[in-house]
Amino acid sequence: MNIDQLKTYIAVVETGSFTKAAKTVHLTQSAVSLQIKRLEEELGISLLTRIAKTVKLTGAGKDLLAYARKIIQTHDEAVLTISNRELLGHIRIGAPEDYISPFLTRILSRFSKEHPQVKVDVISNLSVNLKRAVDQADLDFALCTEMREGGTVVFREPLAWISSEKYKQHTITDPLPLAVSYEGCPYRRWAMGSLEAAGREFRINYNSPTSTGIMAAVRVGFAVAILGVTNIPEDLILIGEAHRFPPLPMAHITLHRAPMPSSPLLLAFETCIRETFKEVQDELQVQLASGIRVKFPD
C-alpha cells in the first residue's frame, strides 16, 4: 500500500470529509478522491461511504484504519532512524502565549537534545493570526486553540474557573466581575456563554489578549476568569459549582502545518510535538485522577 494514500485515507477519516482532508494533506479535493479510489482498487474493497458532505467507514475501512496508523508510525520512525540524525536547518513555529511555558519549552528542550544544530524561531500571537501565517507558509507549524479545519488535535485540556484566595472575588454577589480575552477568543465565548446559560449576571471588568494579563487581574482582585488547568499558577485557586460556577467545556489544541513538501527535519519536529503532547496528556490524566489539579476552596 502506498504511504501517501494511507496518509490521505487517515486524513479523510479524521476530518470527516474529502474537502477538509485536502487542506490537511495539501492536495486538491480531486487528488484526494483519486488517492482513495486507487487505494480501494488496490485492496479490491470499499473503504468509505459518502453520506451528504460527510463520510462513513465500512467494516473493512475500520479494520484498515488501525493498520494504516501503525504502518505510518513505523514508516516515519524508519525515515527518522535511517536518515541523517544530525539534522540541520531552520524551523518556525507559532503559539499563543499560554502555550509557551507549559508546552513549547518542553518540546524545544526535547528536540534540541536530539538535534542541537537546528535553529528554531518561536512566534507568540493570537491563534487566528498564527493560523493565517501557517496557511501562507510564513510559519512551518502553529499551535492554535479550537481551529480544527486543516489541523489535527494534539491535546485536550480541561478548563477551570480561577480566583484569588486573598480577595475572594468568586464570593461577590452578582454581577460577577469577569476577566476575558479578545473578541472571538474561545475562552471568552465559553466564560460568557456558560454564565449566561446558568442565569448568572456578570460584567466584563478586565480585557487582556494574554493569560499573563488575565492572571494579573485575578491576583489583584479585579475579576475571576477561566484558564486551562496546565496554565494555572499555584497562587490562584480553582472554583467550581459550590460557588455557583457552571461547568466548562474541554479546550482543544490543534497542530497546523504549512502547505509545503515534507522533509526529515519537518518530520522530526512534528514527531517531537506529537510525542511530547501525548506524554503531557498522559501525565494530566494521572493528575486529574488523583485530584492534584482539581482542588477547590472550602
Side-chain angles (χ1 to χ4, degrees):
M1 290 178 285
N2 182 281
I3 292 295
D4 290 335
Q5 291 174 2
L6 290 177
K7 288 184 176 180
T8 299
Y9 174 69
I10 293 172
V12 171
V13 175
E14 290 182 344
T15 61
S17 80
F18 282 66
T19 302
K20 293 179 179 178
K23 295 181 180 180
T24 300
V25 297
H26 313 303
L27 295 172
T28 63
Q29 183 176 342
S30 59
V32 168
S33 298
L34 181 59
Q35 285 199 358
I36 298 301
K37 180 181 178 182
R38 288 176 174 172
L39 181 60
E40 289 179 323
E41 289 175 347
E42 180 181 346
L43 295 172
I45 195 167
S46 176
L47 300 171
L48 301 168
T49 302
R50 295 198 191 206
I51 302 176
K53 295 183 178 181
T54 61
V55 294
K56 183 178 180 180
L57 288 171
T58 64
K62 292 179 182 178
D63 292 337
L64 176 62
L65 181 61
Y67 285 111
R69 286 174 170 154
K70 292 179 182 178
I71 291 170
I72 296 302
Q73 181 180 354
T74 303
H75 169 270
D76 290 348
E77 289 174 354
V79 170
L80 290 177
T81 301
I82 297 172
S83 62
N84 181 13
R85 295 189 61 83
E86 192 63 26
L87 295 175
L88 301 173
H90 178 202
I91 291 175
R92 305 159 301 169
I93 182 170
E97 181 221 21
D98 300 22
Y99 302 164
I100 301 296
S101 177
F103 306 126
L104 259 186
T105 53
R106 183 164 173 170
I107 292 169
L108 296 179
S109 174
R110 177 176 184 164
F111 188 76
S112 64
K113 290 177 182 178
E114 297 182 5
H115 308 290
Q117 301 302 315
V118 177
K119 176 186 177 184
V120 181
D121 287 344
V122 176
I123 307 299
S124 179
N125 209 321
L126 304 179
S127 290
V128 63
N129 296 333
L130 295 172
K131 177 64 166 60
R132 186 182 306 114
V134 81
D135 287 344
Q136 296 172 350
D138 293 329
L139 290 172
D140 299 309
F141 298 96
L143 294 171
C144 302
T145 305
E146 294 297 320
M147 292 190 169
R148 305 192 199 187
E149 185 172 348
T152 55
V153 176
V154 291
F155 190 70
R156 295 168 176 82
E157 180 178 35
L159 303 177
W161 293 98
I162 59 171
S163 181
S164 162
E165 191 165 24
K166 177 180 179 181
Y167 294 101
K168 302 185 184 301
Q169 57 266 46
H170 54 282
T171 63
I172 295 176
T173 56
D174 299 337
L176 180 74
L178 189 63
V180 293
S181 188
Y182 61 95
E183 288 280 357
C185 172
Y187 283 41
R188 176 189 179 112
R189 183 174 69 251
W190 291 327
M192 297 171 62
S194 64
L195 290 172
E196 289 171 351
R200 183 159 188 185
E201 294 183 14
F202 64 89
R203 69 177 188 277
I204 296 178
N205 221 32
Y206 189 86
N207 280 278
S208 173
T210 68
S211 60
T212 300
I214 288 176
M215 285 188 283
V218 175
R219 283 192 179 97
V220 298
F222 274 8
V224 298
I226 67 171
L227 281 179
V229 295
T230 59
N231 208 32
I232 299 175
E234 293 184 359
D235 63 325
L236 297 179
I237 58 174
L238 281 68
I239 48 180
E241 295 181 12
H243 293 93
R244 299 172 54 219
F245 283 84
L248 295 164
M250 188 82 68
H252 296 82
I253 296 178
T254 57
L255 174 64
H256 296 263
R257 181 169 165 176
M260 61 180 65
S262 185
S263 69
L265 175 58
L266 295 177
L267 179 58
F269 194 70
E270 182 174 354
T271 299
C272 180
I273 292 173
R274 292 178 181 276
E275 289 180 350
T276 303
F277 270 114
K278 184 180 184 306
E279 288 180 358
V280 177
Q281 190 82 71
D282 292 342
E283 292 169 5
L284 179 58
Q285 293 305 314
V286 172
Q287 292 171 336
L288 290 173
S290 62
I292 292 176
R293 291 188 180 272
V294 192
K295 294 179 179 178
F296 298 97
D298 296 330

